[in-house]
């Protein structure tokens, strides 16, 4: 049921019956090493190219998530997935291995929230029974598509973020056992505040996050204090500061219940400047740390708002500013 | 509020908030590493002149450049040059070794897309502008020199 302008409240509250996360080697040394289901020992995952490795990581994650839900591949009737590569090859090539219908998404780093929001709509309306929502990214494929060759001896600017190698997948269904449910979703609007620096994606995405989260509060008549955690996707340290300033400017003062996946994933010694980014960033944090904390009961209600910078290398070279997007979902713990 | 004005204000706010590169340590690192690379070059040239007394200074200089280019490519292939670059910045980009790195690194990166369309096409994707400008300016200078 749609409430307000952009929010859908789910009558049946789809359950997250399975999840899996695979993180890269560097991410394995970060803050969530004990939460990831699997940490890669080799960033190529035994493949010849990084593109093939990214594909294999996403594929592996989806298979394992299906296992964790005690289902078989044949039980999945819809796969919703996206990634950062041109023509979303990692997702669509992965879908070759699944005999399910497939919806390919491009929401940049917001893909995890976008896929869960779409998946939850499908499950809630009983159009599909079991839906797999997945995304992932790889540092080395993204570097060469958006930036420079890996071995080039250049310096990264202080505003930059480090693309996370990793993938996450969640299985949604109305059947099965789970105490994590999606209660509502707010689809975002493309927001562009005129930031042109492709390195400073946090600043480009912060207004989109602000807009979606405020809309969610207004649509559902909720307050920041209603949530144990308000989690943005990959704004990074600088982007999070900007986001908090923007929220305060609009009359919402967020307290200790706010955090950002990009800011949390790496530790301070890992020299990533503003933290993590990439579709895999929020995907691995959500499917490891957040779900485990919801299961344990540390968190009861989480607003997960993944953010994406919808730029391409060509648009940046042509001097265009960076449009941002943010989709949000509410995760609730319920004992059933 | 008007969108243009909103964006202008937001950009001003972000610019004020963005952390800047620290000039002092980065300049020192660049100076030191750049200086060391030049010293190595001078050393190679001196050794060549001592070993082969028949070499002219110009020829020794050319051989020295070839040796530096070779070792920079080798270090790129071994995955070490980018680590020096993170620390040294312009110190390892400006000398000829940086030029070598900027050709070797895309060559390695795009080899997977094939020798012709990958390696050969992409090899000059970073160094290309330097070559184009070098050739264009030398033609210009040549024309000026003709009339002097």
């Amino acid at each position: 049921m749609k409430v307000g302008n952009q929010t859908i409240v789910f009558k049946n509250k789809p359950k997250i019956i399975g999840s899996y996360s695979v993180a890269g080697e560097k991410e394995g040394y970060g803050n969530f090493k004990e939460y990831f289901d699997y940490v890669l020992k080799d960033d190529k995952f035994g493949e010849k190219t990084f593109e093939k490795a990214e594909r294999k990581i996403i594929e592996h994650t989806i298979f394992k998530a299906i296992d964790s839900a005690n289902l078989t591949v044949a039980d999945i009737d819809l796969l919703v997935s996206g990634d950062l590569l041109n023509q979303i090859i990692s997702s669509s090539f992965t879908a070759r291995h699944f005999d399910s219908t497939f919806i390919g998404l491009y929401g940049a780093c917001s893909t995890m929230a976008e896929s869960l929001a779409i998946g939850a709509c499908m499950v809630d309306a009983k159009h599909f029974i079991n839906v797999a929502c997945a995304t992932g990214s790889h540092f080395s494929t993204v570097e060469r598509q958006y930036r420079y060759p890996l071995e080039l001896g250049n310096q990264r600017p202080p505003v930059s973020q480090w693309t996370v190698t990793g993938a996450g997948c969640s299985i949604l269904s109305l059947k099965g056992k789970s105490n994590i449910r999606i209660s509502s979703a707010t689809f975002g609007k493309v927001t562009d505040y005129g930031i042109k620096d492709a390195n400073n994606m946090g600043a480009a995405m912060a207004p989109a996050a602000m807009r979606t989260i405020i809309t969610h509060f207004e649509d559902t008549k909720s307050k920041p204090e209603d949530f144990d955690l308000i989690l943005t996707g990959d704004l990074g340290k600088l982007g999070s500061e900007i986001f908090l300033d923007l929220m305060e400017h609009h009359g919402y003062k967020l307290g200790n219940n706010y955090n950002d996946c990009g800011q949390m994933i790496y530790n301070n010694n890992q020299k990533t400047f503003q933290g993590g980014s990439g579709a895999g960033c929020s995907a691995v944090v959500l499917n490891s740390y957040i779900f485990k904390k919801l299961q344990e009961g540390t968190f009861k209600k989480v607003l997960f708002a993944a953010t994406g910078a919808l730029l391409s290398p060509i648009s940046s070279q042509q001097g265009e500013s960076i449009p941002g997007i943010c989709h949000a979902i509410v995760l609730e713990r319920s004992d059933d | 509020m008007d969108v243009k004005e909103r964006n202008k204000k937001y950009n001003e706010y972000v610019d004020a908030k963005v952390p800047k590169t620290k000039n002092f340590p980065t300049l020192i690192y660049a100076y030191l590493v750049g200086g060391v690379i030049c010293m190595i070059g001078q050393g190679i040239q001196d050794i060549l002149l001592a070993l082969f007394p028949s070499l002219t200074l110009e020829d020794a200089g050319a051989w020295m450049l070839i040796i530096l280019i070779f070792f920079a490519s080798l270090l790129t292939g071994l995955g070490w040059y980018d680590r020096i670059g993170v620390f040294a910045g312009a110190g390892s980009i400006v000398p000829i070794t940086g030029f070598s790195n900027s050709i070797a690194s895309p060559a390695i990166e795009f080899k997977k897309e094939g020798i012709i369309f990958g390696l050969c096409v992409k090899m000059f994707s970073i160094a290309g502008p330097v070559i184009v400008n070098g050739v264009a300016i030398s033609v210009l200078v040549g024309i000026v020199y003709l009339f002097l």
Side-chain angles (χ1 to χ4, degrees), chain A residues 137-156:
Chain A
S137 55
H138 196 300
F139 173 78
S140 304
T141 60
V142 164
E143 275 303 294
R144 82 142 145 187
Q145 181 176 303
Y146 288 93
R147 295 178 197 102
Y148 297 107
L150 294 174
E151 299 302 335
L152 185 71
N154 60 335
Q155 281 180 324
R156 306 169 72 82

Side-chain angles (χ1 to χ4, degrees), chain A residues 2-314:
Chain A
K2 195 173 164 217
V3 296
N5 293 321
Q6 290 160 240
T7 304
I8 294 159
V9 172
F10 301 119
K11 196 177 80 194
N12 299 313
K13 295 192 181 176
K15 289 186 237 181
I16 291 176
I17 58 165
S19 69
Y20 199 79
S21 60
V22 173
E25 199 185 352
K26 187 184 176 91
E27 291 67 29
Y29 292 112
N31 290 330
F32 297 123
K33 55 178 174 239
E34 61 268 38
Y35 291 97
F36 297 134
D37 293 307
Y38 184 76
V39 175
L40 300 179
K41 288 163 200 85
D42 147 38
D43 267 6
K44 277 204 172 145
F45 208 9
E47 292 292 323
K48 281 202 173 117
T49 70
F50 290 119
E51 281 74 14
K52 284 182 181 165
E54 177 174 321
R55 210 174 296 157
K56 191 174 165 188
I57 293 169
I58 296 178
E59 206 180 294
H60 182 75
T61 309
I62 300 173
F63 277 123
K64 287 289 183 180
I66 296 170
D67 281 351
S68 80
N70 291 321
L71 297 174
T72 61
V73 177
D75 296 324
I76 301 296
D77 45 6
L78 174 65
L79 169 65
V80 188
S81 173
D83 58 89
L84 299 177
L85 296 190
N86 292 338
Q87 288 79 38
I88 54 165
I89 49 169
S90 301
S91 297
S92 37
F93 283 41
T94 297
R96 293 185 298 196
H97 302 287
F98 295 89
D99 188 31
S100 60
T101 46
F102 169 66
I103 298 178
L105 304 174
Y106 186 80
C109 314
S110 72
T111 309
M112 196 66 231
E114 189 180 14
S115 63
L116 283 170
I118 291 173
C121 289
M122 296 292 195
V123 170
D124 186 59
K126 298 182 183 167
H127 296 312
F128 292 94
I129 298 160
N130 300 311
V131 176
C133 305
T135 188
S137 55
H138 196 300
F139 173 78
S140 304
T141 60
V142 164
E143 275 303 294
R144 82 142 145 187
Q145 181 176 303
Y146 288 93
R147 295 178 197 102
Y148 297 107
L150 294 174
E151 299 302 335
L152 185 71
N154 60 335
Q155 281 180 324
R156 306 169 72 82
V159 291
S160 65
Q161 288 167 260
W162 191 277
T163 306
V164 167
T165 300
C169 176
S170 317
I171 312 290
L172 293 178
S173 182
L174 295 179
K175 295 173 186 163
K177 260 189 85 69
S178 168
N179 49 15
I180 309 171
R181 288 168 177 269
I182 299 179
S183 60
S184 61
T186 302
F187 288 97
K189 290 182 179 175
V190 171
T191 306
D192 189 338
Y193 272 35
I195 295 290
K196 289 189 177 171
D197 180 2
N199 285 308
N200 195 356
M201 289 189 294
M205 299 185 291
M210 178 267 292
R211 212 169 153 200
T212 300
I213 290 173
I214 290 180
T215 306
H216 179 83
F217 292 153
E218 287 170 358
D219 285 352
T220 58
K221 305 204 167 40
S222 53
K223 306 184 291 294
E225 302 82 70
D226 297 342
F227 299 92
D228 298 311
L229 181 67
I230 295 168
L231 186 71
T232 48
D234 57 349
L235 296 177
K237 293 187 190 96
L238 176 68
S240 298
E241 282 175 32
I242 294 171
F243 167 74
L244 288 174
D245 281 357
L246 285 170
M247 290 298 281
E248 200 171 347
H249 185 73
H250 285 83
Y252 289 92
K253 196 159 165 49
L254 300 186
N256 288 334
N257 63 344
Y258 168 72
N259 217 326
D260 178 75
C261 300
Q263 183 171 251
M264 292 155 88
I265 189 164
Y266 296 112
N267 65 42
N268 288 337
N269 305 324
Q270 289 188 294
K271 293 185 182 144
T272 55
F273 292 109
Q274 304 303 329
S277 71
C281 180
S282 56
V284 294
V285 175
L286 183 78
N287 285 290
S288 60
Y289 177 73
I290 302 299
F291 284 170
K292 277 175 193 135
K293 289 287 169 192
L294 275 162
Q295 275 159 0
E296 285 169 12
T298 317
F299 301 138
K300 297 235 158 36
K301 198 175 180 192
V302 174
L303 177 64
F304 171 68
T307 47
L310 304 172
L311 76 167
S312 87
I314 292 172

Side-chain angles (χ1 to χ4, degrees), chain B residues 46-65:
Chain B
D46 288 351
I47 292 168
L48 285 172
L49 284 171
L51 287 178
F52 308 100
S54 58
L55 272 183
T56 63
L57 189 65
E58 221 168 54
D59 285 348
W63 278 108
M64 177 269 290
L65 291 180

Side-chain angles (χ1 to χ4, degrees), chain A residues 144 150-151 153 192 203 245, chain B residues 6 10 13 86 101 109 113:
Chain A
R144 82 142 145 187
L150 294 174
E151 299 302 335
D192 189 338
D245 281 357
Chain B
R6 179 199 73 185
Y10 184 65
Y13 156 79
V86 167
N101 167 253
E109 186 91 19
E113 280 79 53

